[in-house]
Amino acid sequence: MGVSFQVSKFVILSPSMENTQKSIPINLYRISSPLAVEVIENRRLTAESRGRKNDVRHLVFKFNGSYPCIPGQSAGILPPGIDSRTKRPNSPRLYSVASPSTGDHGDGKTFSLCVTRHFWENPQTGEKDLPGAASNYLCDLRVGDKVKVTGPTGKHFLLPGDFGVRDFIFVATGTGIAPFRGMLIDLFQQGYERNVWLILGVPYKDCLLYDDEFRAFAVKYPKFTYLTAISREENNPFSSEVQTRQNKMYVQVRMYEYREKLLKILSGSNSMMYLCGLKGMEEGIFPVLNALGKGAGIGDSFAEKLKADQRLRVEVY
Ligand code: NAP
Protein backbone atom coordinates (compact mmCIF):
# COMPACT_ATOMS: atom_id res chain seq x y z
CA MET A 1 0.00 0.00 0.00
CA GLY A 2 1.05 3.61 -0.18
CA VAL A 3 2.72 3.49 -3.60
CA SER A 4 1.14 6.14 -5.76
CA PHE A 5 1.56 6.57 -9.49
CA GLN A 6 0.49 9.37 -11.82
CA VAL A 7 -2.31 8.36 -14.16
CA SER A 8 0.11 8.45 -17.08
CA LYS A 9 2.36 5.97 -15.29
CA PHE A 10 -0.27 3.36 -14.54
CA VAL A 11 1.11 -0.09 -14.13
CA ILE A 12 -1.19 -1.64 -16.69
CA LEU A 13 -1.31 -5.34 -15.95
CA SER A 14 -1.45 -6.00 -19.68
CA PRO A 15 -2.28 -3.84 -22.72
CA SER A 16 -5.61 -5.52 -23.38
CA MET A 17 -8.21 -7.58 -21.61
CA GLU A 18 -7.48 -10.54 -23.90
CA ASN A 19 -3.75 -10.48 -23.22
CA THR A 20 -4.38 -10.23 -19.50
CA GLN A 21 -6.43 -13.39 -19.63
CA LYS A 22 -3.95 -15.32 -21.80
CA SER A 23 -0.98 -14.58 -19.57
CA ILE A 24 -2.63 -15.61 -16.29
CA PRO A 25 -1.46 -19.05 -15.15
CA ILE A 26 -4.15 -21.44 -13.94
CA ASN A 27 -4.37 -24.95 -12.50
CA LEU A 28 -0.75 -25.07 -11.39
CA TYR A 29 -1.77 -27.45 -8.60
CA ARG A 30 -4.18 -30.34 -9.03
CA ILE A 31 -5.85 -32.94 -6.79
CA SER A 32 -3.00 -35.37 -7.49
CA SER A 33 -0.33 -32.74 -6.72
CA PRO A 34 -1.78 -30.09 -4.38
CA LEU A 35 0.21 -27.32 -2.72
CA ALA A 36 0.50 -27.39 1.07
CA VAL A 37 -0.13 -23.94 2.56
CA GLU A 38 -0.04 -22.85 6.20
CA VAL A 39 -2.70 -20.85 8.04
CA ILE A 40 -1.19 -17.67 9.44
CA GLU A 41 -4.43 -15.86 10.30
CA ASN A 42 -8.06 -16.80 10.98
CA ARG A 43 -10.01 -13.69 11.95
CA ARG A 44 -13.75 -13.49 12.47
CA LEU A 45 -15.30 -10.64 10.46
CA THR A 46 -18.80 -10.73 11.93
CA ALA A 47 -19.95 -10.12 15.51
CA GLU A 48 -19.16 -13.01 17.88
CA SER A 49 -22.67 -12.60 19.29
CA ARG A 50 -24.11 -13.96 16.02
CA GLY A 51 -22.81 -17.40 16.99
CA ARG A 52 -22.15 -20.12 14.42
CA LYS A 53 -24.68 -18.71 11.97
CA ASN A 54 -23.35 -15.61 10.22
CA ASP A 55 -19.81 -16.66 11.15
CA VAL A 56 -17.58 -15.24 8.39
CA ARG A 57 -13.80 -15.56 8.50
CA HIS A 58 -10.84 -13.87 6.85
CA LEU A 59 -8.19 -16.56 6.42
CA VAL A 60 -4.62 -15.87 5.35
CA PHE A 61 -2.46 -18.71 3.98
CA LYS A 62 1.29 -18.64 3.55
CA PHE A 63 3.05 -20.72 0.94
CA ASN A 64 6.58 -21.54 -0.15
CA GLY A 65 7.25 -21.41 -3.87
CA SER A 66 4.64 -20.03 -6.18
CA TYR A 67 0.86 -19.66 -6.03
CA PRO A 68 0.12 -16.69 -8.29
CA CYS A 69 -3.52 -15.73 -7.72
CA ILE A 70 -5.17 -12.43 -8.42
CA PRO A 71 -8.53 -11.00 -7.40
CA GLY A 72 -11.30 -12.59 -9.45
CA GLN A 73 -9.58 -15.97 -9.37
CA SER A 74 -10.39 -18.82 -7.00
CA ALA A 75 -8.35 -21.21 -4.92
CA GLY A 76 -9.39 -24.85 -4.61
CA ILE A 77 -9.47 -26.14 -1.04
CA LEU A 78 -9.16 -29.88 -0.43
CA PRO A 79 -10.96 -30.68 2.83
CA PRO A 80 -9.73 -33.88 4.42
CA GLY A 81 -12.10 -36.80 4.86
CA ILE A 82 -14.81 -38.59 2.93
CA ASP A 83 -17.85 -37.00 1.33
CA SER A 84 -20.85 -38.50 3.15
CA ARG A 85 -22.93 -38.30 -0.01
CA THR A 86 -20.52 -39.82 -2.55
CA LYS A 87 -18.49 -41.98 -0.10
CA ARG A 88 -15.38 -40.77 -1.91
CA PRO A 89 -12.62 -38.40 -0.71
CA ASN A 90 -13.83 -34.81 -0.53
CA SER A 91 -13.39 -32.94 -3.79
CA PRO A 92 -11.86 -29.44 -3.94
CA ARG A 93 -14.17 -26.51 -3.19
CA LEU A 94 -13.53 -23.22 -4.91
CA TYR A 95 -13.28 -20.02 -2.88
CA SER A 96 -12.72 -16.56 -4.35
CA VAL A 97 -9.42 -14.96 -3.47
CA ALA A 98 -10.00 -11.99 -1.13
CA SER A 99 -6.46 -10.61 -1.19
CA PRO A 100 -4.73 -8.24 -3.62
CA SER A 101 -2.37 -9.63 -6.28
CA THR A 102 0.66 -9.54 -3.98
CA GLY A 103 -1.25 -10.88 -0.97
CA ASP A 104 -2.21 -9.14 2.27
CA HIS A 105 1.43 -8.86 3.29
CA GLY A 106 2.55 -7.47 -0.08
CA ASP A 107 5.31 -10.07 -0.51
CA GLY A 108 3.59 -12.44 -2.95
CA LYS A 109 3.83 -15.24 -0.40
CA THR A 110 0.26 -15.33 0.92
CA PHE A 111 -3.30 -15.38 -0.31
CA SER A 112 -6.51 -14.84 1.63
CA LEU A 113 -10.07 -16.12 1.55
CA CYS A 114 -13.37 -14.88 2.94
CA VAL A 115 -15.39 -17.88 4.12
CA THR A 116 -18.82 -18.17 5.68
CA ARG A 117 -19.68 -21.16 7.85
CA HIS A 118 -22.26 -22.98 5.77
CA PHE A 119 -25.07 -25.29 6.95
CA TRP A 120 -27.29 -27.34 4.67
CA GLU A 121 -30.43 -29.43 4.69
CA ASN A 122 -30.46 -33.00 3.40
CA PRO A 123 -33.54 -33.23 1.14
CA GLN A 124 -33.51 -37.05 1.36
CA THR A 125 -33.47 -37.37 5.14
CA GLY A 126 -34.89 -33.97 6.06
CA GLU A 127 -31.94 -33.40 8.42
CA LYS A 128 -31.28 -29.70 8.99
CA ASP A 129 -28.28 -27.59 9.95
CA LEU A 130 -25.72 -30.09 8.67
CA PRO A 131 -22.28 -28.46 8.72
CA GLY A 132 -20.81 -27.95 5.24
CA ALA A 133 -17.57 -29.97 5.07
CA ALA A 134 -15.27 -27.41 3.52
CA SER A 135 -16.55 -24.18 5.06
CA ASN A 136 -16.60 -25.58 8.60
CA TYR A 137 -13.17 -27.13 8.09
CA LEU A 138 -11.85 -23.73 7.00
CA CYS A 139 -13.60 -21.71 9.70
CA ASP A 140 -12.22 -24.05 12.40
CA LEU A 141 -8.60 -23.87 11.19
CA ARG A 142 -5.95 -22.65 13.60
CA VAL A 143 -2.76 -20.75 12.96
CA GLY A 144 -0.08 -23.25 11.98
CA ASP A 145 -2.50 -25.77 10.43
CA LYS A 146 -1.61 -27.03 6.94
CA VAL A 147 -4.13 -27.06 4.10
CA LYS A 148 -3.96 -28.62 0.64
CA VAL A 149 -4.90 -26.34 -2.22
CA THR A 150 -5.44 -26.72 -5.97
CA GLY A 151 -5.64 -24.04 -8.64
CA PRO A 152 -5.61 -21.15 -8.96
CA THR A 153 -8.58 -21.12 -11.33
CA GLY A 154 -10.67 -18.65 -13.29
CA LYS A 155 -10.01 -15.94 -15.81
CA HIS A 156 -13.33 -14.32 -16.60
CA PHE A 157 -13.87 -12.21 -13.48
CA LEU A 158 -10.57 -10.31 -13.48
CA LEU A 159 -10.08 -6.58 -13.72
CA PRO A 160 -9.38 -5.60 -17.33
CA GLY A 161 -5.82 -4.80 -18.33
CA ASP A 162 -6.84 -1.23 -19.15
CA PHE A 163 -8.40 -0.65 -15.72
CA GLY A 164 -6.78 2.77 -15.46
CA VAL A 165 -9.19 4.26 -18.00
CA ARG A 166 -12.34 2.64 -16.61
CA ASP A 167 -14.97 3.34 -13.99
CA PHE A 168 -16.18 0.41 -11.89
CA ILE A 169 -19.39 -0.52 -10.12
CA PHE A 170 -18.92 -3.52 -7.81
CA VAL A 171 -22.03 -5.13 -6.28
CA ALA A 172 -21.65 -7.91 -3.69
CA THR A 173 -23.91 -9.99 -1.48
CA GLY A 174 -22.25 -11.53 1.60
CA THR A 175 -18.96 -13.28 0.93
CA GLY A 176 -19.28 -12.27 -2.72
CA ILE A 177 -17.28 -9.31 -1.42
CA ALA A 178 -14.07 -11.39 -1.64
CA PRO A 179 -12.87 -10.46 -5.16
CA PHE A 180 -13.82 -6.80 -4.72
CA ARG A 181 -11.71 -6.38 -1.58
CA GLY A 182 -8.68 -7.61 -3.52
CA MET A 183 -9.52 -5.55 -6.59
CA LEU A 184 -10.00 -2.34 -4.60
CA ILE A 185 -6.65 -2.76 -2.88
CA ASP A 186 -4.99 -3.49 -6.22
CA LEU A 187 -6.62 -0.46 -7.85
CA PHE A 188 -5.73 1.99 -5.08
CA GLN A 189 -2.19 0.65 -4.72
CA GLN A 190 -1.66 1.45 -8.37
CA GLY A 191 -2.84 5.04 -8.14
CA TYR A 192 -6.31 4.48 -9.58
CA GLU A 193 -8.21 7.78 -9.53
CA ARG A 194 -11.48 7.20 -11.36
CA ASN A 195 -14.99 6.48 -10.07
CA VAL A 196 -15.33 3.20 -8.26
CA TRP A 197 -18.42 2.14 -6.34
CA LEU A 198 -18.95 -0.73 -3.94
CA ILE A 199 -22.47 -1.75 -2.94
CA LEU A 200 -22.43 -4.48 -0.28
CA GLY A 201 -25.48 -6.40 0.96
CA VAL A 202 -25.44 -8.27 4.28
CA PRO A 203 -28.16 -9.39 6.71
CA TYR A 204 -27.12 -7.35 9.76
CA LYS A 205 -25.00 -4.26 10.34
CA ASP A 206 -22.61 -6.21 12.56
CA CYS A 207 -22.11 -8.64 9.65
CA LEU A 208 -20.63 -6.03 7.32
CA LEU A 209 -17.43 -7.50 5.89
CA TYR A 210 -14.21 -5.43 5.81
CA ASP A 211 -16.32 -2.38 6.70
CA ASP A 212 -13.41 -0.60 8.41
CA GLU A 213 -11.21 -1.03 5.33
CA PHE A 214 -13.86 0.28 2.96
CA ARG A 215 -14.65 3.24 5.20
CA ALA A 216 -10.95 4.11 5.28
CA PHE A 217 -10.83 3.95 1.46
CA ALA A 218 -13.88 6.22 1.25
CA VAL A 219 -12.09 8.81 3.40
CA LYS A 220 -8.85 8.58 1.44
CA TYR A 221 -10.18 8.31 -2.12
CA PRO A 222 -12.84 10.91 -2.95
CA LYS A 223 -14.02 9.00 -6.03
CA PHE A 224 -14.70 5.83 -4.08
CA THR A 225 -18.37 5.45 -3.13
CA TYR A 226 -19.20 2.85 -0.49
CA LEU A 227 -22.86 1.91 0.02
CA THR A 228 -24.39 -0.85 2.11
CA ALA A 229 -27.75 -2.65 2.14
CA ILE A 230 -28.61 -4.23 5.49
CA SER A 231 -31.44 -6.58 4.55
CA ARG A 232 -32.80 -7.50 7.98
CA GLU A 233 -32.49 -4.10 9.61
CA GLU A 234 -33.49 -1.67 6.85
CA ASN A 235 -36.70 -1.46 4.86
CA ASN A 236 -37.11 -0.91 1.16
CA PRO A 237 -38.39 2.64 0.63
CA PHE A 238 -38.97 2.02 -3.11
CA SER A 239 -41.19 -1.02 -2.78
CA SER A 240 -43.49 -0.04 -5.65
CA GLU A 241 -40.55 0.40 -8.07
CA VAL A 242 -38.25 -2.42 -6.84
CA GLN A 243 -39.93 -5.44 -5.24
CA THR A 244 -37.94 -7.39 -2.67
CA ARG A 245 -38.74 -10.32 -0.39
CA GLN A 246 -40.48 -9.09 2.77
CA ASN A 247 -39.75 -5.57 1.60
CA LYS A 248 -36.09 -5.95 2.55
CA MET A 249 -33.32 -3.53 1.71
CA TYR A 250 -31.31 -5.35 -0.97
CA VAL A 251 -28.41 -4.11 -3.09
CA GLN A 252 -30.71 -3.49 -6.06
CA VAL A 253 -32.79 -1.12 -3.94
CA ARG A 254 -29.68 0.88 -3.10
CA MET A 255 -28.86 0.93 -6.82
CA TYR A 256 -32.30 2.36 -7.53
CA GLU A 257 -31.93 4.95 -4.78
CA TYR A 258 -28.70 6.21 -6.38
CA ARG A 259 -29.99 5.69 -9.93
CA GLU A 260 -29.08 9.10 -11.31
CA LYS A 261 -25.43 8.98 -10.27
CA LEU A 262 -25.19 5.31 -11.17
CA LEU A 263 -26.61 5.87 -14.63
CA LYS A 264 -24.23 8.73 -15.22
CA ILE A 265 -21.30 6.37 -14.63
CA LEU A 266 -22.75 3.40 -16.47
CA SER A 267 -23.58 5.58 -19.49
CA GLY A 268 -19.86 6.06 -20.02
CA SER A 269 -18.64 3.50 -22.53
CA ASN A 270 -15.56 2.74 -20.41
CA SER A 271 -17.50 1.77 -17.30
CA MET A 272 -17.78 -1.81 -16.07
CA MET A 273 -20.10 -3.49 -13.59
CA TYR A 274 -19.23 -6.63 -11.60
CA LEU A 275 -21.72 -8.67 -9.56
CA CYS A 276 -20.62 -11.34 -7.09
CA GLY A 277 -22.38 -13.41 -4.46
CA LEU A 278 -25.67 -15.24 -4.10
CA LYS A 279 -27.08 -17.02 -7.11
CA GLY A 280 -30.21 -15.13 -8.05
CA MET A 281 -28.99 -11.65 -7.09
CA GLU A 282 -28.75 -10.81 -10.78
CA GLU A 283 -32.49 -11.47 -11.15
CA GLY A 284 -33.21 -8.48 -8.94
CA ILE A 285 -30.44 -6.32 -10.38
CA PHE A 286 -31.05 -6.72 -14.11
CA PRO A 287 -34.60 -5.28 -14.00
CA VAL A 288 -33.27 -2.23 -12.16
CA LEU A 289 -30.55 -1.78 -14.79
CA ASN A 290 -33.12 -2.19 -17.56
CA ALA A 291 -35.46 0.35 -15.98
CA LEU A 292 -32.59 2.83 -15.70
CA GLY A 293 -31.62 2.25 -19.33
CA LYS A 294 -35.18 2.62 -20.51
CA GLY A 295 -35.66 5.84 -18.58
CA ALA A 296 -32.48 7.24 -20.15
CA GLY A 297 -33.51 6.21 -23.66
CA ILE A 298 -30.71 3.59 -23.89
CA GLY A 299 -33.21 0.83 -24.75
CA ASP A 300 -35.24 -1.82 -22.97
CA SER A 301 -32.41 -4.24 -22.16
CA PHE A 302 -29.55 -2.22 -20.73
CA ALA A 303 -28.24 -5.27 -18.81
CA GLU A 304 -28.00 -7.30 -22.03
CA LYS A 305 -26.30 -4.41 -23.77
CA LEU A 306 -23.72 -4.11 -20.97
CA LYS A 307 -23.10 -7.84 -21.23
CA ALA A 308 -22.80 -7.75 -25.02
CA ASP A 309 -20.30 -4.90 -24.67
CA GLN A 310 -18.32 -7.01 -22.16
CA ARG A 311 -19.00 -4.39 -19.52
CA LEU A 312 -21.03 -6.58 -17.14
CA ARG A 313 -19.49 -9.57 -15.38
CA VAL A 314 -21.36 -11.91 -13.07
CA GLU A 315 -19.96 -14.50 -10.67
CA VAL A 316 -22.70 -16.05 -8.55
CA TYR A 317 -23.16 -19.42 -6.89
P1 NAP B 1 -25.41 -13.70 3.22
O1 NAP B 1 -24.71 -13.51 4.49
O2 NAP B 1 -26.62 -14.58 3.23
O3 NAP B 1 -25.72 -12.28 2.65
C1 NAP B 1 -26.34 -12.12 1.47
C2 NAP B 1 -27.19 -10.87 1.55
O4 NAP B 1 -27.87 -10.79 0.32
C3 NAP B 1 -28.23 -10.93 2.65
O5 NAP B 1 -28.42 -9.63 3.14
C4 NAP B 1 -29.44 -11.43 1.92
O6 NAP B 1 -30.64 -11.01 2.52
C5 NAP B 1 -29.26 -10.72 0.60
N1 NAP B 1 -30.03 -11.37 -0.46
C6 NAP B 1 -30.69 -12.56 -0.43
N2 NAP B 1 -31.30 -12.78 -1.62
C7 NAP B 1 -31.02 -11.71 -2.39
C8 NAP B 1 -31.40 -11.36 -3.71
N3 NAP B 1 -32.16 -12.14 -4.47
N4 NAP B 1 -30.96 -10.18 -4.21
C9 NAP B 1 -30.18 -9.38 -3.46
N5 NAP B 1 -29.81 -9.65 -2.20
C10 NAP B 1 -30.22 -10.81 -1.67
O7 NAP B 1 -24.43 -14.25 2.11
P2 NAP B 1 -23.42 -15.47 2.18
O8 NAP B 1 -23.95 -16.52 3.10
O9 NAP B 1 -22.06 -14.92 2.39
O10 NAP B 1 -23.55 -16.03 0.74
C11 NAP B 1 -22.95 -15.40 -0.33
C12 NAP B 1 -23.04 -16.27 -1.56
O11 NAP B 1 -22.04 -15.80 -2.44
C13 NAP B 1 -22.78 -17.75 -1.34
O12 NAP B 1 -23.76 -18.44 -2.05
C14 NAP B 1 -21.42 -17.96 -1.95
O13 NAP B 1 -21.30 -19.25 -2.53
C15 NAP B 1 -21.41 -16.89 -2.99
N6 NAP B 1 -20.05 -16.46 -3.30
C16 NAP B 1 -19.72 -16.43 -4.54
C17 NAP B 1 -18.46 -16.08 -4.86
C18 NAP B 1 -18.07 -16.12 -6.24
O14 NAP B 1 -16.90 -16.02 -6.52
N7 NAP B 1 -19.02 -16.23 -7.11
C19 NAP B 1 -17.53 -15.69 -3.94
C20 NAP B 1 -17.92 -15.69 -2.66
C21 NAP B 1 -19.20 -16.08 -2.35
P3 NAP B 1 -31.60 -11.99 3.38
O15 NAP B 1 -30.80 -13.19 3.73
O16 NAP B 1 -31.98 -11.16 4.56
O17 NAP B 1 -32.76 -12.29 2.49
Side-chain angles (χ1 to χ4, degrees):
M1 288 256 215
V3 183
S4 177
F5 297 89
Q6 295 300 310
V7 175
S8 58
K9 290 182 187 166
F10 259 113
V11 179
I12 301 294
L13 296 174
S14 166
S16 76
M17 211 180 293
E18 292 72 29
N19 283 348
T20 304
Q21 295 188 344
K22 270 187 201 149
S23 59
I24 302 292
I26 56 167
N27 297 325
L28 299 176
Y29 300 92
R30 297 177 181 272
I31 300 177
S32 55
S33 56
L35 177 71
V37 299
E38 183 182 337
V39 180
I40 59 168
E41 187 181 334
N42 178 353
R43 171 167 55 99
R44 185 166 174 148
L45 297 173
T46 50
E48 290 284 348
S49 56
R50 295 276 164 208
R52 285 169 72 79
K53 295 278 170 77
N54 305 109
D55 179 5
V56 184
R57 305 290 174 132
H58 181 72
L59 289 140
V60 184
F61 301 94
K62 186 174 172 54
F63 51 85
N64 291 318
S66 173
Y67 191 80
C69 55
I70 61 176
Q73 288 195 295
S74 298
I77 299 295
L78 267 172
I82 301 294
D83 186 325
S84 59
R85 284 171 284 192
T86 63
K87 313 291 180 218
R88 296 168 63 119
N90 277 314
S91 53
R93 313 299 211 272
L94 295 183
Y95 287 89
S96 291
V97 169
S99 40
S101 300
T102 55
D104 281 355
H105 296 241
D107 59 2
K109 289 288 168 200
T110 70
F111 71 88
S112 308
L113 302 178
C114 178
V115 179
T116 188
R117 197 182 280 282
H118 177 66
F119 296 91
W120 59 287
E121 186 176 335
N122 187 329
Q124 266 111 39
T125 63
E127 286 173 283
K128 290 185 177 166
D129 291 333
L130 295 165
S135 67
N136 281 271
Y137 162 66
L138 285 168
C139 289
D140 290 335
L141 285 169
R142 295 179 179 190
V143 168
D145 285 348
K146 298 282 192 316
V147 175
K148 290 179 180 169
V149 301
T150 62
T153 63
K155 288 189 177 192
H156 82 279
F157 204 68
L158 312 178
L159 284 174
D162 59 356
F163 65 85
V165 296
R166 293 186 179 266
D167 296 315
F168 294 102
I169 308 289
F170 298 142
V171 184
T173 46
T175 49
I177 191 62
F180 302 140
R181 174 188 184 257
M183 288 176 184
L184 285 166
I185 299 172
D186 269 358
L187 286 171
F188 293 136
Q189 275 184 342
Q190 298 192 61
Y192 179 81
E193 287 178 343
R194 295 181 62 103
N195 294 300
V196 53
W197 283 35
L198 173 64
I199 308 177
L200 170 60
V202 294
Y204 306 101
K205 193 167 191 301
D206 59 14
C207 293
L208 277 168
L209 307 172
Y210 307 109
D211 186 55
D212 50 346
E213 295 183 23
F214 301 140
R215 285 184 189 283
F217 283 154
V219 169
K220 196 166 175 192
Y221 303 103
K223 289 195 173 175
F224 174 54
T225 301
Y226 173 46
L227 302 171
T228 60
I230 315 290
S231 61
R232 300 184 199 176
E233 293 177 2
E234 297 175 312
N235 287 325
N236 171 3
F238 301 102
S239 54
S240 40
E241 295 90 346
V242 185
Q243 279 84 44
T244 54
R245 203 168 39 235
Q246 296 165 14
N247 225 10
K248 289 179 178 186
M249 169 56 79
Y250 279 168
V251 286
Q252 56 267 38
V253 179
R254 204 60 89 195
M255 285 173 56
Y256 186 82
E257 182 183 350
Y258 284 79
R259 58 194 176 279
E260 282 177 23
K261 287 182 179 169
L262 191 64
L263 188 62
K264 204 171 163 195
I265 293 174
L266 285 176
S267 303
S269 60
N270 268 1
S271 59
M272 290 184 77
M273 184 166 201
Y274 287 63
L275 313 180
C276 188
L278 287 173
K279 195 170 176 59
M281 66 184 277
E282 69 278 22
E283 286 161 22
I285 289 173
F286 285 8
V288 171
L289 284 174
N290 290 339
L292 297 196
K294 194 171 179 183
I298 301 172
D300 284 352
S301 49
F302 190 34
E304 286 306 319
K305 179 172 166 31
L306 288 171
K307 259 196 196 169
D309 292 347
Q310 297 197 34
R311 295 202 289 128
L312 175 59
R313 295 184 180 189
V314 181
E315 176 114 323
V316 290
Y317 47 77

